[in-house]
Amino acid sequence: MVAAPRKRIVSASDRLYRVLLLCYPKEFRRSYRLEMAQTFRDCCQEALAEHGLWGVIRLWSFVLSDLAGTALIEHYRAFAARFLNVEGRQVATLVSPFSLAVAQRTDVGRIRHVNEDSVVSVVPEDPVVMTKKGALFVVADGMGGHTAGDVASLMAINTVNDAYYQNGSDGIVT
Amino acid sequence: MKNTKRDPEALLPLTPAVFHVLLALADSERHGYGIMQEVAARTNGMMRMGPGTLYGSIKRMLAAGLIEESGERPDPALDDERRRYYRLTDFGRRVAQAEAQRLEQVVRIAQVKRILSGSELRGGA
């Protein structure tokens, strides 16, 4: 192969790859687009020098599958960082890809004036406790018609909470 | 990432890409393409990383404090383009050691189960 078409193959590939980099999220692109384009150019020159045009075609098929997979991953991570607030917990997500968000709500209802329901959700901060015992969610419905139903439901959830996490055995206590 | 007391075990197991990047940087600082070349050479081309896999890994490894940037300069072996170099941190080295030990244990299991012939099994089988 003569020198001029070689140069053209590399520069055309380079231009196309730069356009394809638009598949990645903005923030990722800002940090790495120059380095990635540079690295791709190096790979392209190497493939061309060692295996000619066929080498470049093989490189493209490999790079396209790499691009499709990693662009999806980076978009997912960018999404997770923004909406699930996991950016600061990068290290934890390397091990466990899932996190837990908890919300709770009760309503006093139409009859009573005091909300007698109690709810508790415990998501242990300590990863060891979390692995061993998991999270705890308890809902105690107020005992309508009895005195101090609110006290009773509060006592119920506190008792369950204490008993569950103070029990040394692994897994779920029944 | 500034905390030197962090437990390397907490990051295990590493993805193959992350472990290979750590190994490639163990003896020398390198730029992205240099890392690719080193990984390909050491694995006889078995482990291939595209730019997306490489820089996705680099991004997360920087965030986890396993590697750090060590400036920009041209690579005399290639051309006069400036390239960004990366090097291993102390923590990155400890994580690579921990992963190597973990894999060593896995290999030992494979030997005991006769999936892989180990030196202690030779002649006995």
Side-chain angles (χ1 to χ4, degrees), chain B residues 16-82:
Chain B
V18 167
F19 189 42
H20 276 289
V21 172
L22 287 177
L23 291 178
L25 295 175
D27 52 357
S28 166
E29 52 178 61
R30 296 174 201 276
H31 49 71
Y33 179 56
I35 293 172
M36 272 188 188
Q37 282 180 310
E38 171 71 6
V39 172
R42 291 280 173 185
T43 61
N44 293 319
M46 294 289 280
M47 176 71 194
R48 286 187 76 194
M49 262 187 279
T53 305
L54 176 67
Y55 281 97
S57 302
I58 285 179
K59 180 186 172 206
R60 280 179 270 292
M61 292 167 79
L62 285 168
L66 301 181
I67 57 172
E68 59 195 6
E69 291 174 12
S70 67
E72 279 184 40
R73 61 176 184 277
D75 183 341
L78 292 168
D79 46 40
D80 56 0
E81 263 188 89
R82 293 171 67 80

Coordinates of all heavy atoms in Angstrom, one line a residue, chain B residues 16-82:
Chain B
P16 N -11.3 -7.8 35.4 CA -10.1 -8.1 34.7 C -9.4 -6.9 34.1 O -8.2 -6.7 34.2 CB -10.6 -9.0 33.5 CG -11.8 -9.6 34.0 CD -12.5 -8.6 34.9
A17 N -10.2 -5.9 33.6 CA -9.6 -4.7 33.0 C -8.8 -3.9 34.1 O -7.7 -3.5 33.9 CB -10.7 -3.8 32.4
V18 N -9.5 -3.7 35.3 CA -8.8 -3.0 36.3 C -7.5 -3.7 36.8 O -6.5 -3.0 37.0 CB -9.8 -2.8 37.5 CG1 -9.1 -2.3 38.7 CG2 -10.9 -1.8 37.1
F19 N -7.6 -5.0 37.0 CA -6.4 -5.7 37.4 C -5.3 -5.6 36.4 O -4.1 -5.4 36.8 CB -6.8 -7.2 37.7 CG -5.7 -8.0 38.4 CD1 -5.0 -7.4 39.5 CD2 -5.5 -9.3 38.1 CE1 -4.0 -8.1 40.1 CE2 -4.5 -10.0 38.7 CZ -3.7 -9.4 39.7
H20 N -5.6 -5.8 35.1 CA -4.6 -5.7 34.1 C -4.0 -4.3 34.0 O -2.8 -4.2 33.8 CB -5.1 -6.1 32.8 CG -5.1 -7.6 32.6 ND1 -4.0 -8.3 32.4 CD2 -6.1 -8.5 32.6 CE1 -4.3 -9.6 32.3 NE2 -5.6 -9.7 32.4
V21 N -4.8 -3.3 34.2 CA -4.2 -1.9 34.2 C -3.2 -1.7 35.4 O -2.1 -1.2 35.3 CB -5.3 -0.8 34.3 CG1 -4.7 0.6 34.5 CG2 -6.1 -0.9 33.0
L22 N -3.6 -2.3 36.6 CA -2.8 -2.2 37.8 C -1.4 -2.9 37.5 O -0.4 -2.4 37.8 CB -3.4 -2.8 39.0 CG -4.6 -2.0 39.6 CD1 -5.2 -2.9 40.8 CD2 -4.1 -0.7 40.2
L23 N -1.5 -4.1 36.9 CA -0.3 -4.9 36.6 C 0.6 -4.1 35.6 O 1.8 -4.1 35.7 CB -0.7 -6.3 36.1 CG -1.3 -7.2 37.1 CD1 -1.7 -8.5 36.4 CD2 -0.4 -7.5 38.2
A24 N -0.1 -3.5 34.6 CA 0.7 -2.8 33.5 C 1.5 -1.6 34.1 O 2.6 -1.3 33.7 CB -0.2 -2.3 32.4
L25 N 0.9 -1.0 35.2 CA 1.5 0.1 35.8 C 2.5 -0.2 37.0 O 3.1 0.6 37.5 CB 0.5 1.1 36.3 CG -0.4 1.8 35.2 CD1 -1.5 2.6 35.8 CD2 0.4 2.6 34.3
A26 N 2.5 -1.5 37.3 CA 3.3 -2.0 38.5 C 4.8 -1.7 38.3 O 5.5 -1.3 39.3 CB 3.1 -3.5 38.7
D27 N 5.3 -1.7 37.1 CA 6.8 -1.5 36.9 C 7.2 -0.2 36.3 O 8.3 0.1 36.2 CB 7.4 -2.7 36.2 CG 6.7 -3.0 34.8 OD1 5.7 -2.3 34.6 OD2 7.1 -3.8 34.1
S28 N 6.2 0.5 35.8 CA 6.5 1.8 35.1 C 5.2 2.6 34.9 O 4.1 2.1 34.8 CB 7.1 1.4 33.7 OG 7.1 2.5 32.9
E29 N 5.4 3.9 34.9 CA 4.3 4.7 34.5 C 4.1 4.7 33.0 O 5.0 4.6 32.3 CB 4.4 6.2 35.1 CG 5.7 6.8 34.7 CD 5.8 8.3 35.2 OE1 5.7 8.4 36.5 OE2 5.9 9.2 34.4
R30 N 2.8 4.8 32.6 CA 2.5 4.7 31.2 C 1.4 5.6 30.8 O 0.5 5.9 31.6 CB 2.1 3.2 30.8 CG 3.2 2.2 31.0 CD 2.7 0.8 30.8 NE 3.6 -0.2 31.5 CZ 4.7 -0.7 30.9 NH1 5.1 -0.3 29.7 NH2 5.5 -1.5 31.6
H31 N 1.3 5.9 29.5 CA 0.1 6.5 29.0 C -0.9 5.5 28.5 O -0.6 4.3 28.5 CB 0.4 7.5 27.8 CG 1.3 6.9 26.7 ND1 0.8 6.0 25.8 CD2 2.6 7.1 26.4 CE1 1.8 5.6 25.0 NE2 2.9 6.3 25.4
G32 N -2.1 5.9 28.1 CA -3.2 5.0 27.8 C -2.8 3.9 26.8 O -3.0 2.7 27.0
Y33 N -2.2 4.4 25.6 CA -1.9 3.4 24.6 C -0.7 2.5 25.1 O -0.7 1.3 24.8 CB -1.4 4.2 23.4 CG -1.0 3.3 22.2 CD1 -1.8 2.4 21.7 CD2 0.3 3.5 21.6 CE1 -1.4 1.6 20.6 CE2 0.7 2.7 20.6 CZ -0.1 1.8 20.1 OH 0.3 1.0 19.0
G34 N 0.1 3.1 25.9 CA 1.2 2.3 26.5 C 0.7 1.1 27.4 O 1.2 0.0 27.4
I35 N -0.4 1.4 28.1 CA -1.1 0.4 29.0 C -1.6 -0.7 28.1 O -1.4 -1.9 28.3 CB -2.2 1.1 29.8 CG1 -1.6 2.0 30.9 CG2 -3.0 0.0 30.5 CD1 -2.6 2.9 31.6
M36 N -2.3 -0.3 27.0 CA -2.9 -1.2 26.1 C -1.8 -2.2 25.5 O -2.0 -3.4 25.4 CB -3.5 -0.5 24.9 CG -4.9 -0.1 25.1 SD -5.5 0.5 23.5 CE -7.1 1.1 23.9
Q37 N -0.7 -1.6 25.1 CA 0.4 -2.3 24.5 C 1.0 -3.3 25.5 O 1.2 -4.5 25.2 CB 1.5 -1.4 24.0 CG 1.2 -0.7 22.7 CD 2.3 0.2 22.3 OE1 2.8 1.0 23.1 NE2 2.8 0.1 21.1
E38 N 1.2 -2.9 26.7 CA 1.7 -3.7 27.8 C 0.8 -4.9 28.1 O 1.3 -6.0 28.1 CB 2.0 -2.9 29.0 CG 2.4 -3.7 30.3 CD 3.8 -4.3 30.2 OE1 4.5 -4.0 29.2 OE2 4.2 -5.1 31.1
V39 N -0.5 -4.6 28.2 CA -1.4 -5.7 28.5 C -1.5 -6.7 27.4 O -1.4 -7.9 27.6 CB -2.9 -5.1 28.8 CG1 -3.9 -6.2 28.9 CG2 -2.8 -4.2 30.0
A40 N -1.5 -6.2 26.1 CA -1.6 -7.1 25.0 C -0.3 -7.9 24.9 O -0.4 -9.2 24.6 CB -1.8 -6.3 23.7
A41 N 0.8 -7.3 25.2 CA 2.1 -8.1 25.1 C 2.2 -9.2 26.1 O 2.6 -10.3 25.9 CB 3.3 -7.1 25.2
R42 N 1.8 -8.8 27.4 CA 1.9 -9.8 28.5 C 0.9 -10.9 28.4 O 1.1 -12.0 28.9 CB 1.6 -9.1 29.8 CG 2.7 -8.1 30.2 CD 3.9 -8.8 30.8 NE 5.0 -7.8 31.0 CZ 6.2 -8.2 31.4 NH1 6.5 -9.4 31.7 NH2 7.1 -7.3 31.6
T43 N -0.2 -10.7 27.7 CA -1.2 -11.8 27.6 C -1.3 -12.4 26.2 O -2.2 -13.1 25.9 CB -2.6 -11.2 28.0 OG1 -2.9 -10.2 27.0 CG2 -2.7 -10.6 29.3
N44 N -0.2 -12.1 25.4 CA -0.2 -12.6 24.1 C -1.4 -12.3 23.3 O -2.0 -13.1 22.5 CB 0.0 -14.2 24.0 CG 1.3 -14.6 24.6 OD1 2.3 -13.9 24.3 ND2 1.3 -15.6 25.4
G45 N -1.9 -11.1 23.5 CA -3.1 -10.6 22.8 C -4.4 -11.1 23.3 O -5.4 -10.9 22.7
M46 N -4.4 -12.0 24.3 CA -5.7 -12.6 24.8 C -6.6 -11.5 25.5 O -7.8 -11.6 25.3 CB -5.4 -13.7 25.8 CG -4.7 -14.9 25.3 SD -5.7 -15.8 24.2 CE -6.7 -16.7 25.4
M47 N -5.9 -10.6 26.2 CA -6.7 -9.6 26.9 C -6.6 -8.3 26.0 O -5.6 -7.7 26.0 CB -6.1 -9.3 28.3 CG -6.8 -8.2 29.1 SD -8.5 -8.6 29.6 CE -9.1 -7.0 30.1
R48 N -7.7 -8.0 25.4 CA -7.8 -6.8 24.6 C -8.7 -5.8 25.2 O -9.8 -6.1 25.6 CB -8.2 -7.1 23.1 CG -7.2 -7.8 22.3 CD -7.6 -7.9 20.9 NE -7.5 -6.6 20.2 CZ -8.1 -6.4 19.0 NH1 -8.8 -7.3 18.4 NH2 -7.9 -5.2 18.4
M49 N -8.3 -4.5 25.3 CA -9.1 -3.5 25.8 C -9.4 -2.4 24.8 O -8.4 -1.9 24.2 CB -8.4 -2.9 27.0 CG -8.8 -3.4 28.4 SD -8.0 -2.4 29.7 CE -6.4 -3.1 29.7
G50 N -10.6 -2.0 24.6 CA -10.8 -0.9 23.7 C -10.7 0.4 24.5 O -10.6 0.4 25.7
P51 N -10.6 1.5 23.8 CA -10.5 2.8 24.5 C -11.5 3.1 25.5 O -11.3 3.6 26.6 CB -10.5 3.9 23.4 CG -10.3 3.1 22.1 CD -10.7 1.7 22.3
G52 N -12.8 2.6 25.2 CA -13.9 2.9 26.2 C -13.7 2.1 27.5 O -13.9 2.6 28.6
T53 N -13.3 0.8 27.4 CA -13.0 0.0 28.5 C -11.9 0.6 29.3 O -11.9 0.7 30.6 CB -12.7 -1.4 28.1 OG1 -13.8 -1.9 27.3 CG2 -12.5 -2.3 29.3
L54 N -10.8 1.0 28.6 CA -9.6 1.5 29.2 C -9.9 2.7 30.0 O -9.6 2.8 31.2 CB -8.5 1.7 28.2 CG -7.2 2.4 28.7 CD1 -6.5 1.4 29.7 CD2 -6.3 2.8 27.6
Y55 N -10.5 3.7 29.4 CA -10.7 5.0 30.1 C -11.8 5.0 31.1 O -11.8 5.7 32.0 CB -10.8 6.1 29.0 CG -9.4 6.5 28.5 CD1 -9.0 6.0 27.3 CD2 -8.6 7.3 29.3 CE1 -7.7 6.3 26.9 CE2 -7.3 7.6 28.9 CZ -6.9 7.1 27.7 OH -5.6 7.4 27.3
G56 N -12.8 4.1 30.9 CA -13.8 3.9 31.9 C -13.2 3.3 33.2 O -13.4 3.8 34.3
S57 N -12.2 2.4 33.0 CA -11.5 1.8 34.1 C -10.6 2.9 34.8 O -10.6 3.0 36.0 CB -10.6 0.6 33.7 OG -11.4 -0.4 33.1
I58 N -9.9 3.6 33.9 CA -9.0 4.7 34.5 C -9.8 5.7 35.3 O -9.4 6.1 36.4 CB -8.2 5.4 33.3 CG1 -7.1 4.4 32.8 CG2 -7.7 6.7 33.7 CD1 -6.3 5.0 31.6
K59 N -10.9 6.1 34.8 CA -11.7 7.1 35.5 C -12.1 6.6 36.9 O -11.9 7.3 37.9 CB -13.0 7.3 34.7 CG -13.9 8.3 35.4 CD -15.3 8.4 34.6 CE -16.2 9.3 35.4 NZ -17.6 9.0 35.1
R60 N -12.5 5.3 37.0 CA -12.9 4.8 38.3 C -11.7 4.5 39.2 O -11.8 4.6 40.4 CB -13.8 3.5 38.1 CG -15.2 3.8 37.7 CD -16.0 2.6 37.5 NE -16.0 2.2 36.1 CZ -16.6 2.9 35.1 NH1 -17.2 4.0 35.3 NH2 -16.5 2.4 33.9
M61 N -10.6 4.1 38.6 CA -9.4 3.9 39.4 C -8.8 5.2 40.0 O -8.3 5.2 41.1 CB -8.4 3.1 38.5 CG -8.8 1.7 38.1 SD -7.8 1.0 36.8 CE -6.3 0.5 37.8
L62 N -8.9 6.2 39.2 CA -8.5 7.6 39.7 C -9.4 7.9 40.9 O -8.9 8.4 42.0 CB -8.6 8.6 38.6 CG -7.6 8.6 37.5 CD1 -8.0 9.6 36.4 CD2 -6.2 9.1 38.1
A63 N -10.7 7.7 40.7 CA -11.7 8.1 41.8 C -11.4 7.2 43.1 O -11.6 7.7 44.2 CB -13.1 7.9 41.3
A64 N -11.1 6.0 42.9 CA -10.8 5.1 44.0 C -9.4 5.2 44.6 O -9.1 4.6 45.6 CB -11.1 3.6 43.6
G65 N -8.6 6.1 44.0 CA -7.2 6.3 44.5 C -6.3 5.2 44.2 O -5.2 5.0 44.9
L66 N -6.6 4.3 43.2 CA -5.6 3.2 42.8 C -4.5 3.7 41.9 O -3.4 3.2 42.0 CB -6.4 2.1 42.1 CG -7.6 1.5 42.8 CD1 -8.2 0.4 41.9 CD2 -7.1 0.9 44.1
I67 N -4.8 4.7 41.1 CA -3.7 5.3 40.3 C -3.8 6.8 40.3 O -4.8 7.4 40.9 CB -3.9 4.9 38.8 CG1 -5.3 5.3 38.3 CG2 -3.7 3.4 38.6 CD1 -5.5 5.0 36.8
E68 N -2.8 7.5 39.8 CA -2.8 8.9 39.7 C -2.2 9.4 38.5 O -1.4 8.7 37.9 CB -2.2 9.6 41.0 CG -0.7 9.2 41.1 CD -0.1 9.5 42.5 OE1 -0.9 9.9 43.4 OE2 1.1 9.3 42.7
E69 N -2.5 10.6 38.0 CA -1.8 11.2 36.8 C -0.4 11.6 37.2 O -0.2 12.1 38.3 CB -2.6 12.4 36.3 CG -4.0 12.0 35.8 CD -4.8 13.2 35.4 OE1 -4.3 14.3 35.4 OE2 -6.0 13.0 35.2
S70 N 0.5 11.4 36.3 CA 1.8 11.9 36.6 C 2.4 12.8 35.5 O 3.5 12.7 35.1 CB 2.7 10.6 36.8 OG 2.9 10.0 35.5
G71 N 1.5 13.6 35.0 CA 2.0 14.7 34.1 C 1.8 14.3 32.6 O 1.5 13.1 32.3
E72 N 2.1 15.3 31.8 CA 2.0 15.1 30.3 C 3.3 15.3 29.7 O 4.0 16.2 30.0 CB 0.9 16.1 29.8 CG -0.5 15.7 29.9 CD -1.4 16.7 29.3 OE1 -1.1 17.1 28.2 OE2 -2.5 17.0 29.9
R73 N 3.6 14.4 28.7 CA 4.8 14.6 27.9 C 4.8 13.7 26.7 O 4.0 12.7 26.7 CB 6.1 14.3 28.8 CG 6.1 12.9 29.3 CD 7.4 12.6 30.1 NE 7.5 11.2 30.5 CZ 6.9 10.7 31.5 NH1 6.2 11.5 32.3 NH2 7.1 9.4 31.8
P74 N 5.6 14.0 25.7 CA 5.6 13.1 24.5 C 6.3 11.8 24.8 O 7.1 11.7 25.7 CB 6.4 13.9 23.5 CG 6.6 15.3 24.0 CD 6.5 15.1 25.5
D75 N 5.9 10.7 24.1 CA 6.6 9.4 24.2 C 7.6 9.4 23.1 O 7.2 9.4 21.9 CB 5.5 8.3 24.0 CG 6.1 6.9 24.2 OD1 7.4 6.8 24.1 OD2 5.4 6.0 24.4
P76 N 8.9 9.4 23.4 CA 9.9 9.4 22.4 C 9.8 8.3 21.4 O 10.2 8.4 20.3 CB 11.2 9.3 23.2 CG 10.8 9.0 24.6 CD 9.4 9.3 24.8
A77 N 9.2 7.1 21.8 CA 9.1 6.0 21.0 C 8.0 6.1 19.9 O 8.0 5.5 18.9 CB 8.9 4.7 21.8
L78 N 7.1 7.1 20.1 CA 6.0 7.2 19.2 C 6.1 8.5 18.3 O 6.5 8.4 17.2 CB 4.7 7.2 19.9 CG 4.3 5.9 20.6 CD1 3.1 6.1 21.6 CD2 3.9 4.9 19.5
D79 N 5.8 9.6 18.8 CA 6.0 10.8 18.1 C 6.1 12.0 19.0 O 6.3 11.8 20.2 CB 4.7 11.0 17.1 CG 3.4 10.8 17.8 OD1 3.3 11.2 19.0 OD2 2.5 10.2 17.3
D80 N 5.9 13.2 18.6 CA 6.0 14.3 19.5 C 4.7 14.8 20.1 O 4.6 15.9 20.6 CB 6.8 15.5 18.9 CG 6.2 15.9 17.6 OD1 5.1 15.4 17.2 OD2 6.7 16.9 17.0
E81 N 3.7 14.0 20.0 CA 2.4 14.4 20.7 C 2.5 14.2 22.2 O 3.1 13.2 22.6 CB 1.3 13.4 20.2 CG 0.4 14.0 19.1 CD -0.7 13.1 18.8 OE1 -1.8 13.3 19.4 OE2 -0.6 12.1 18.0
R82 N 1.9 15.1 22.9 CA 2.0 15.0 24.4 C 0.9 14.0 24.8 O -0.2 14.0 24.3 CB 1.7 16.4 25.0 CG 2.8 17.4 24.8 CD 2.3 18.8 25.2 NE 2.2 18.9 26.7 CZ 3.2 19.0 27.5 NH1 4.4 19.1 27.0 NH2 3.0 19.1 28.8

